[in-house]
């Protein structure tokens, strides 16, 4: 119902603009036949009823038809999309942002309340219309039938039409023959033009948009144009010389006029004063005015009926290259606003809509969406045909990464450069491009008798963890391995030393060291105190932060940092993240002569569209490039998790192991039983049921058979997580 309500709101916004424009357009159409302005209201009805239309450059609507996104209540920072930047910023800035600690977004609550309020209003309008219609119809049961569909009643003062499929004309008793003839001609003209059906349809539209004041204006003005256009039609058929008698008939009805039983669906005579003026001023309209009026109405009808073409301008992004000591080439990264996209391996990816571009010193890259995926993935294609697939998920960090010692530039292109070991038991070898093993598949590692073995594992033998090694390294010490031998051409020299160079995701200025300074202690205490989560039961509150810059002016110290705060609970033998947030902060302290810090200000960025501008106004320009939550969230969340594990006593940080039971060959379009293919073993809690794992299996929806990447995510009761990115699934 929430989505229906948001769709009605979008239609009401567009309809309100069209109604306002029609009200303005009625002014130059004053001298034109009223049937022309009457036709314009059909466009307003179309915009209020149909949520879709054709996009065209001829559209006169200046904003997007779907201004309110259907998922706005679920967005972390709700934002409308009208296509007009200053409107987007103004409205979005007052929308309540999602709170990490809350289970429901505030906008979800307001949307749900609005949807119920709207549906109650619709129900009241429909019930009132139908009951008043039935009461009036019952009241007319005693009316005398005079001829055809014409009846006379004693208990009415004004004539009207009642009914849809078999409309009846009801006349008050005591009218002269001339008055009866004019009234019957008028009402029959209404019926002939199906105005009684239009009135019912218009009231239904009003029921849907009862909260929109302009919908009521349209309902009333449409009725005025309907009556005046009908009067003009009668005068045209009866002759212009009947204007005086026809006006007197209208005036005689006005003296005794009252509301027809309170029913909005009874088709009675209204707006007598305006109608009399229009009748007395009636004369044959010149062809020039008619042609001009028809042309104006045609332009407005087409322009208002079509939607604005929404061709989002291409977004300028940034390509950067970073040195990677563990590989031969620099790592390519795509920067889009505050988000960093990393290159990720994926085959058979389909190219979607073009959304942006980026330049480097060598070429221009065109940025495309990836078909079948959200914007977690972007496909970048170079004009010469080179392409990359980027993901905003940082690549897995190795558990240990050994780099060739004292490698020369020549060695970097011709020797085994690095050996990376991962939590899931897999290894990756950076062999030189000239090696036939440069694209070596998934391999595993194990330490046995002071040796590091690299090899393949027979996936069909579940119980066996024995490797079939093709490379052996001696373990010299905790941080060094020495190449011993290989049965395949890895281009490594015997005796070559490889040193552990496990690179953290970031190079923090200061990330909660064990021996914290008094200032860091004050920062940690301030973060926890200002993110105090109110939950039922016991929670352990912790934080992690990276200091970006410190301003120390005499006794006033301001710390600019990226801060992560979290609250963990522990029940049913499981560690739960109850809530948290991650954002840039600025904390100002007053330092006394004894070196004690007193909190003066704890600053958070503003919500919504003002988020980025408020940060740039507060933070020194020199550290703007470091303000990116994606760069810190992995380290910060892990630091906070381990703090919670240490506090609760969950010392084992070993991630669960994912074991492939048999080759992953799945029939296209059929969701598999993953327990037939995958087993999960955990040192903390024993076997974990496959139902506890999240398996990214969207690839089975692909149209074409082939190999696709499979990601498996599993977390044990201690919060240790394993993400497998190296598996492949064959779709047949």
């Amino acid at each position: 119902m929430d989505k229906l309500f948001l769709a009605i709101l979008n239609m009401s916004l567009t309809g309100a603009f069209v109604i306002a424009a029609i009200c303005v357009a009625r002014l130059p159409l004053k001298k034109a036949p009223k049937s022309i302005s009457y036709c314009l209201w059909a466009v307003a009805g179309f915009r209020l009823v149909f949520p879709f239309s054709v996009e065209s450059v001829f559209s006169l609507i200046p904003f997007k038809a779907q201004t309110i996104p259907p998922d706005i209540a679920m967005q972390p920072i709700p934002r409308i999309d009208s296509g007009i930047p200053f409107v987007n910023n103004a409205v979005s800035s007052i929308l309540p942002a999602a709170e990490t600690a809350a289970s429901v977004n505030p906008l979800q609550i307001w949307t749900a309340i609005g949807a119920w309020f709207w549906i109650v209003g619709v129900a009241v309008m429909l019930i009132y219309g139908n009951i008043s219609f039935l009461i009036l119809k019952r009241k007319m049961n005693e009316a005398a039938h005079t001829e055809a569909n014409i009846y006379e009643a004693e208990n009415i003062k004004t004539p009207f039409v009642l009914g849809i499929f078999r409309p009846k004309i009801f006349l008050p008793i005591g009218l002269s023959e001339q008055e009866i003839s004019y009234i019957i001609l008028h009402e029959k003209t209404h019926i002939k033009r199906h105005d009684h059906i239009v009135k019912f349809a218009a009231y239904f539209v009003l029921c849907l948009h009862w909260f929109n004041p302009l919908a009521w204006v349209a309902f009333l003005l449409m009725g005025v144009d309907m009556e005046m256009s009908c009067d003009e039609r009668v005068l045209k058929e009866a002759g212009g010389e009947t204007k005086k008698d026809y006006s007197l008939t209208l005036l005689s009805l006005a003296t005794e006029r009252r509301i027809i039983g309170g029913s909005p669906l009874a088709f009675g005579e209204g707006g007598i004063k305006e109608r009399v003026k229009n009748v007395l001023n009636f004369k044959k309209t010149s062809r020039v005015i008619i042609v001009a009026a028809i042309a104006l109405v045609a332009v407005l009808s087409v322009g208002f009926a079509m939607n604005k073409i929404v061709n989002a301008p291409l977004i300028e992004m940034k390509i950067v290259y970073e040195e990677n000591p563990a590989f031969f080439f620099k790592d390519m990264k795509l920067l889009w606003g505050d988000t960093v996209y990393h290159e990720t391996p994926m085959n058979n990816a389909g190219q979607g809509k073009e959304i942006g571009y980026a330049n480097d010193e060598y070429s221009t890259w065109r940025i495309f969406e990836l078909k079948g995926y959200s914007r977690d993935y972007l496909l970048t294609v170079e004009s010469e045909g080179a392409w990359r697939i980027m993901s905003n998920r940082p690549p897995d960090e190795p558990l240990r990464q050994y780099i060739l010692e004292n490698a020369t530039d020549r060695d970097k292109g011709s020797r085994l450069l690095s050996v990376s070991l991962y939590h899931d038991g897999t290894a990756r070898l950076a062999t030189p491009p000239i090696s036939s093993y440069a694209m070596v598949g998934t391999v595993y590692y194990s330490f046995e008798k002071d040796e590091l073995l690299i090899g393949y594992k027979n996936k069909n033998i579940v119980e066996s963890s024995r490797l079939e090694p093709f490379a052996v390294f001696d373990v010299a010490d905790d941080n060094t391995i020495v190449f011993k031998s290989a049965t395949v051409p890895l281009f490594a020299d015997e005796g070559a030393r490889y040193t552990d160079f496990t690179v953290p995701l970031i190079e923090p200025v200061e990330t909660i060291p064990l021996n914290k300074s008094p200032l860091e202690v004050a920062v940690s205490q301030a973060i926890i105190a200002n993110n105090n989560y109110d939950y039922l039961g016991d929670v352990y509150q912790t934080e992690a932060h990276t200091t970006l810059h410190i301003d120390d002016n005499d006794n006033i110290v301001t710390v600019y940092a990226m801060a992560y705060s979290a609250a963990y609970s522990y029940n049913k033998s499981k560690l739960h993240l109850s809530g948290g947030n991650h954002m840039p902060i600025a904390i100002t302290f007053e330092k006394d002569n004894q070196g004690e810090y007193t909190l003066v200000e704890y600053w958070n960025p503003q919500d919504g569209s003002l988020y980025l501008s408020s940060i740039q106004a507060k933070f020194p320009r020199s550290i703007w490039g470091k303000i990116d939550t994606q760069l810190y969230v992995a380290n910060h969340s892990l630091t906070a998790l381990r703090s919670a594990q240490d506090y609760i006593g969950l010392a084992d940080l070993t991630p669960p192991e994912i074991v492939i039971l048999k080759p992953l060959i799945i029939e296209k379009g059929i969701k598999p039983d993953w327990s037939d293919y995958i087993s999960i073993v955990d040192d903390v809690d024993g076997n974990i049921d496959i139902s506890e794992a999240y398996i990214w299996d969207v690839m089975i929806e692909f149209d074409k058979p082939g190999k696709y990447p499979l990601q498996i995510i599993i977390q044990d009761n201690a919060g240790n997580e394993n993400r497998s990115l190296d598996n492949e699934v064959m779709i047949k």
Side-chain angles (χ1 to χ4, degrees):
M1 189 173 67
D2 292 357
K3 289 186 177 180
L4 176 61
F5 174 58
L6 293 177
I8 291 291
L9 282 182
N10 277 320
M11 289 188 289
S12 209
L13 287 172
T14 308
F17 175 83
V18 174
I19 292 167
I22 291 174
C23 290
V24 174
R26 289 173 81 247
L27 297 176
L29 293 173
K30 229 173 185 181
K31 294 184 178 181
K34 292 298 180 284
S35 57
I36 294 178
S37 56
Y38 177 43
C39 291
L40 266 180
W41 295 111
V43 185
F46 172 81
R47 299 302 330 200
L48 290 169
V49 173
F50 292 96
F52 51 83
S53 183
V54 178
E55 289 187 350
S56 172
V57 294
F58 300 108
S59 175
L60 296 177
I61 298 176
F63 52 87
K64 291 176 66 173
Q66 196 177 55
T67 297
I68 306 173
D71 63 341
I72 191 170
M74 304 299 295
Q75 295 175 359
I77 301 179
R79 187 169 180 82
I80 68 166
D81 186 16
S82 67
I84 306 174
F86 81 90
V87 173
N88 294 343
N89 295 335
V91 177
S92 300
S93 64
I94 63 176
L95 296 177
E99 299 176 8
T100 308
S103 59
V104 180
N105 289 0
L107 202 57
Q108 282 180 272
I109 299 173
W110 287 109
T111 301
I113 292 173
W116 280 108
F117 192 65
W118 166 71
I119 201 69
V120 168
V122 172
V124 169
M125 291 281 290
L126 290 174
I127 291 170
Y128 169 74
N130 281 279
I131 289 178
S132 61
F133 177 83
L134 293 175
I135 290 174
L136 184 58
K137 187 176 181 181
R138 185 175 180 182
K139 188 178 178 181
M140 294 297 103
N141 285 340
E142 297 179 0
H145 183 217
T146 58
E147 58 174 291
N149 64 335
I150 301 171
Y151 295 79
E152 287 186 343
E154 294 182 354
N155 52 355
I156 61 174
K157 300 295 183 181
T158 184
F160 60 90
V161 175
L162 189 64
I164 301 177
F165 302 108
R166 293 181 180 178
K168 299 175 181 178
I169 300 172
F170 292 90
L171 305 175
I173 293 176
L175 298 176
S176 66
E177 290 186 7
Q178 187 182 50
E179 289 173 338
I180 291 175
S181 64
Y182 284 136
I183 291 172
I184 291 176
L185 180 57
H186 179 91
E187 303 300 351
K188 284 185 175 180
T189 301
H190 274 312
I191 295 172
K192 186 177 180 181
R193 300 194 316 172
H194 305 294
D195 288 342
H196 59 296
I197 298 176
V198 173
K199 187 73 175 287
F200 267 81
Y203 183 75
F204 175 74
V205 175
L206 182 64
C207 291
L208 294 178
H209 299 272
W210 59 266
F211 56 89
N212 188 340
L214 286 176
W216 290 88
V217 170
F219 184 77
L220 297 174
L221 291 181
M222 185 208 70
V224 172
D225 288 344
M226 179 189 292
E227 291 297 337
M228 289 186 179
S229 64
C230 189
D231 290 336
E232 291 177 352
R233 180 74 175 269
V234 171
L235 291 174
K236 189 175 180 181
E237 292 184 6
E241 62 274 10
T242 61
K243 286 195 299 184
K244 182 178 179 181
D245 295 331
Y246 190 81
S247 300
L248 291 173
T249 301
L250 292 178
L251 287 172
S252 68
L253 296 174
T255 56
E256 296 291 341
R257 179 176 172 269
R258 64 176 181 173
I259 297 174
I260 308 164
S263 175
L265 299 178
F267 201 87
E269 305 305 323
I272 301 297
K273 181 179 178 181
E274 293 79 12
R275 289 173 61 191
V276 169
K277 287 182 179 180
N278 188 59
V279 168
L280 293 175
N281 293 327
F282 176 75
K283 60 182 178 179
K284 188 176 181 180
T285 310
S286 69
R287 288 185 179 181
V288 175
I289 293 178
I290 293 176
V291 171
I294 292 175
L296 176 62
V297 170
V299 170
L300 294 179
S301 298
V302 172
F304 291 146
M306 293 182 174
N307 287 341
K308 174 185 178 182
I309 292 181
V310 184
N311 280 334
L314 293 180
I315 303 165
E316 183 176 3
M317 305 177 193
K318 186 178 181 182
I319 294 288
V320 296
Y321 296 91
E322 294 183 358
E323 292 286 350
N324 185 346
F327 202 60
F328 311 103
F329 307 109
K330 293 181 179 180
D331 289 336
M332 174 180 171
K333 293 184 179 180
L334 174 69
L335 307 182
W336 182 1
D338 295 332
T339 306
V340 180
Y341 290 85
H342 312 265
E343 188 173 351
T344 187
M346 183 180 291
N347 297 321
N348 302 322
Q351 176 181 314
K353 182 179 69 175
E354 185 174 5
I355 60 173
Y357 65 94
N359 296 304
D360 59 23
E361 59 180 313
Y362 307 106
S363 57
T364 296
W365 294 78
R366 298 167 63 197
I367 315 298
F368 295 82
E369 289 182 338
L370 199 62
K371 278 187 178 177
Y373 294 86
S374 65
R375 286 187 177 174
D376 282 353
Y377 289 90
L378 297 174
L379 175 64
T380 68
V381 181
E382 187 185 6
S383 57
E384 287 80 5
W387 59 277
R388 305 283 188 273
I389 299 179
M390 314 298 289
S391 168
N392 67 359
R393 299 185 181 123
D396 279 357
E397 291 299 315
L399 179 65
R400 308 292 295 269
Q401 190 168 54
Y402 299 94
I403 310 295
L404 178 62
E405 285 186 352
N406 303 318
T408 65
D409 290 341
R410 182 176 179 181
D411 291 336
K412 291 178 181 179
S414 61
R415 290 290 178 266
L416 174 69
L417 187 58
S418 68
V419 178
S420 302
L421 310 180
Y422 291 84
H423 294 81
D424 60 359
T426 60
R428 295 179 190 172
L429 306 179
T431 55
I434 59 174
S435 171
S436 59
Y437 279 75
M439 299 298 291
V440 69
T442 303
V443 296
Y444 298 83
Y445 71 89
S446 67
F447 288 94
E448 297 181 12
K449 297 180 181 179
D450 296 327
E451 289 184 336
L452 169 63
L453 306 181
I454 307 291
Y456 296 104
K457 187 184 293 185
N458 191 335
K459 296 183 181 181
N460 292 318
I461 305 176
V462 180
E463 296 80 7
S464 175
S465 59
R466 182 176 176 277
L467 291 178
E468 299 175 3
F470 59 76
V472 180
F473 295 80
D474 286 327
V475 179
D477 54 50
D478 289 343
N479 298 314
T480 310
I481 60 174
V482 180
F483 179 73
K484 186 175 184 181
S485 63
T487 60
V488 296
L490 296 180
F491 291 85
D493 297 325
E494 184 177 350
R497 296 172 64 86
Y498 293 80
T499 304
D500 185 5
F501 191 77
T502 306
V503 182
L505 183 64
I506 57 171
E507 296 180 2
V509 176
E510 203 167 339
T511 306
I512 315 184
L514 294 176
N515 299 317
K516 292 187 286 190
S517 66
L519 176 59
E520 283 298 322
V521 171
V523 171
S524 297
Q525 291 174 345
I527 293 172
I528 292 175
N530 283 271
N531 294 276
N532 192 9
Y533 301 100
D534 186 14
Y535 293 106
L536 295 176
D538 296 329
V539 295
Y540 171 69
Q541 298 201 196
T542 185
E543 61 84 36
H545 69 271
T546 297
T547 300
L548 305 177
H549 182 75
I550 299 175
D551 279 341
D552 191 347
N553 298 317
D554 296 329
N555 63 329
I556 299 298
V557 179
T558 300
V559 177
Y560 301 91
M562 293 295 301
Y564 178 83
S565 64
Y568 292 91
S569 62
Y570 187 71
N571 56 60
K572 296 182 180 180
S573 301
K574 288 189 177 183
L575 187 67
H576 301 275
L577 178 63
S578 300
N581 66 63
H582 195 214
M583 65 178 63
I585 60 169
I587 311 177
T588 301
F589 300 97
E590 183 177 2
K591 183 174 66 173
D592 60 21
N593 295 330
Q594 285 73 40
E596 297 291 331
Y597 292 90
T598 302
L599 181 65
V600 175
E601 179 192 40
Y602 188 95
W603 182 91
N604 283 321
Q606 297 186 47
D607 293 331
S609 61
L610 300 177
Y611 176 80
L612 184 59
S613 60
S614 65
I615 293 173
Q616 292 178 343
K618 183 71 174 179
F619 279 57
R621 180 181 290 272
S622 60
I623 60 172
W624 283 5
K626 300 178 182 179
I627 306 171
D628 182 356
T629 57
Q630 294 293 322
L631 296 176
Y632 308 88
V633 67
N635 273 359
H636 286 174
S637 58
L638 181 60
T639 300
L641 174 62
R642 289 182 174 175
S643 175
Q645 289 171 330
D646 291 343
Y647 176 79
I648 296 172
L650 298 173
D652 194 335
L653 300 177
T654 306
E657 180 184 357
I658 300 168
V659 180
I660 306 297
L661 302 179
K662 62 181 181 180
L664 291 160
I665 302 176
I666 298 168
E667 187 173 351
K668 181 175 69 70
I670 297 179
K671 189 173 182 64
D673 183 352
W674 291 111
S675 60
D676 293 339
Y677 298 93
I678 298 168
S679 176
I680 302 171
V681 180
D682 182 50
D683 291 340
V684 177
D685 303 298
N687 287 331
I688 298 176
D689 190 87
I690 193 66
S691 62
E692 298 180 47
Y694 167 64
I695 300 172
W696 179 54
D697 58 351
V698 69
M699 76 290 296
I700 65 173
E701 299 174 4
F702 281 5
D703 295 333
K704 297 180 180 179
K707 287 185 178 180
Y708 298 96
L710 173 69
Q711 183 185 45
I712 306 167
I713 303 174
I714 180 66
Q715 188 178 72
D716 65 14
N717 292 339
N720 304 312
E721 186 176 86
N722 190 1
R723 293 170 177 248
S724 173
L725 289 171
D726 294 325
N727 297 299
E728 285 185 342
V729 59
M730 171 67 75
I731 309 299
K732 65 176 183 178

